[in-house]
Amino acid sequence: MTSSESTQRLLLQSLWDWFRDQQTVLRSPFFPVLFSLTVYLSCCFPYACLDLLCSRLTLFHRFKIQPQKKVTWVMAWRCLRKIFHNHVCFLLPLSVMHWYWKPVVSPQLAPDVLSVVRDVLACLLLFDMQYFLWHLLHHKVSWLYHSFHKEHHLNTATFSLTTEYTGVWEMLSLSFFSMLNPALLDCHPLTEMFFFITNIYLSVEAHSGYEFPWSPHKLVPFGLYGGAQHHDLHHLKFKVNYAPYFTHWDRLFGTLREE
């Protein structure tokens, strides 16, 4: 093991030891919901500030994908009301049930860096496939679209807070996929947390409505990752770009649109 690897392992172990010291918080049935909500709103906050407070600044406005569309406080409040309603009325009771049936396990050792990266990427690829198939089905079958998915398409121009502006069935389906994949891969609890944070951030970024020079799809080569413009085009054109992150499934099914 090199000194760099040892340092990274030590940092992960220190972080995990700190989390293990917070057992009262980690073992609370309220922690998963509070963690999810905190991470989600933290990811949305900078984009929401750009939309609501800095919308007239040319420095930022030129990066907006649909600059003619304006985000209002009414739109933002409508999204926030829906998000809190879904978390409190549906995710919280499920979190309590999960806490009752499956107590939190806290192994002593932290995972190594390589296993964290590998497992997070594997979880993202699995989630990308699951959501692509779910998404495609709910667009192709009319009654599924109108009953469960149409609400998410009320906005043809996405902004960060629309990420979780969904009906109950869609929210529960995506939450199930997010929880299932780390369990299938037997991920370390710390890796699971890194996956949740990454998944939420990428989802918010895809709905942000902004195309920055440092956007994730510009960092991934060969057009393998879609990003905000990829998903914004889905909301605009409706029958293209079903995958949330990567582009290989849309290429395979002939639904990729890159303009």
Side-chain angles (χ1 to χ4, degrees):
M1 183 181 292
T2 66
S3 59
S4 176
E5 290 173 337
S6 299
T7 302
Q8 292 170 350
R9 183 64 182 263
L10 181 62
L11 287 172
L12 283 179
Q13 188 63 54
S14 300
L15 178 62
W16 179 236
D17 289 340
W18 181 84
F19 273 117
R20 291 183 72 242
D21 289 339
Q22 319 301 319
Q23 287 297 314
T24 305
V25 176
L26 287 178
R27 293 182 183 275
S28 167
F30 306 109
F31 175 74
V33 174
L34 291 174
F35 176 77
S36 171
L37 198 56
T38 301
V39 173
Y40 175 69
L41 293 177
S42 298
C43 291
C44 287
F45 182 73
Y47 295 112
C49 287
L50 291 179
D51 284 326
L52 297 169
L53 304 176
C54 307
S55 59
R56 295 184 180 181
L57 294 181
T58 307
L59 177 64
F60 300 110
H61 194 66
R62 63 195 176 98
F63 295 114
K64 196 163 177 62
I65 297 171
Q66 296 191 49
Q68 75 281 9
K69 300 289 186 178
K70 182 176 175 60
V71 179
T72 66
W73 287 97
V74 173
M75 295 163 67
W77 173 243
R78 184 183 67 205
C79 291
L80 286 171
R81 191 169 59 231
K82 166 71 73 173
I83 292 160
F84 279 103
H85 174 263
N86 284 348
H87 276 75
V88 172
C89 296
F90 299 102
L91 286 183
L92 181 58
L94 288 175
S95 176
V96 173
M97 291 173 59
H98 185 267
W99 166 82
Y100 179 78
W101 290 107
K102 187 182 178 184
V104 176
V105 177
S106 301
Q108 286 190 347
L109 294 179
D112 61 87
V113 176
L114 183 60
S115 68
V116 170
V117 174
R118 179 197 63 210
D119 289 346
V120 168
L121 181 58
C123 286
L124 286 173
L125 287 168
L126 275 174
F127 181 85
D128 192 71
M129 177 193 70
Q130 293 157 342
Y131 184 64
F132 172 82
L133 295 174
W134 186 99
H135 201 185
L136 183 66
L137 181 66
H138 282 69
H139 271 268
K140 296 299 184 182
V141 181
S142 180
W143 75 268
L144 285 176
Y145 175 79
H146 288 283
S147 300
F148 302 117
H149 188 52
K150 184 178 180 180
E151 187 171 12
H152 185 62
H153 276 273
L154 290 179
N155 296 284
T156 56
T158 57
F159 59 97
S160 60
L161 290 171
T162 61
T163 306
E164 293 191 7
Y165 188 81
T166 65
V168 176
W169 168 247
E170 182 166 354
M171 176 200 65
L172 293 179
S173 297
L174 302 190
S175 297
F176 174 72
F177 295 150
S178 296
M179 294 180 63
L180 174 66
N181 296 333
L184 287 176
L185 298 175
D186 194 25
C187 293
H188 190 282
L190 186 60
T191 303
E192 190 174 355
M193 294 177 72
F194 279 129
F195 164 64
F196 289 151
I197 293 170
T198 305
N199 197 35
I200 290 171
Y201 166 72
L202 291 179
S203 188
V204 169
E205 192 278 333
H207 287 84
S208 67
Y210 286 90
E211 181 89 356
F212 291 112
W214 56 84
S215 293
H217 81 277
K218 294 188 176 182
L219 306 178
V220 179
F222 311 120
L224 297 174
Y225 188 85
Q229 190 167 6
H230 174 87
H231 195 69
D232 191 84
L233 201 56
H234 169 72
H235 277 257
L236 192 63
K237 300 292 185 181
F238 185 71
K239 294 186 178 181
V240 297
N241 299 354
Y242 294 107
Y245 307 138
F246 303 100
T247 58
H248 54 276
W249 289 110
D250 280 305
R251 289 184 192 278
L252 185 63
F253 279 75
T255 55
L256 182 65
R257 190 78 170 268
E258 296 181 294
E259 67 181 38

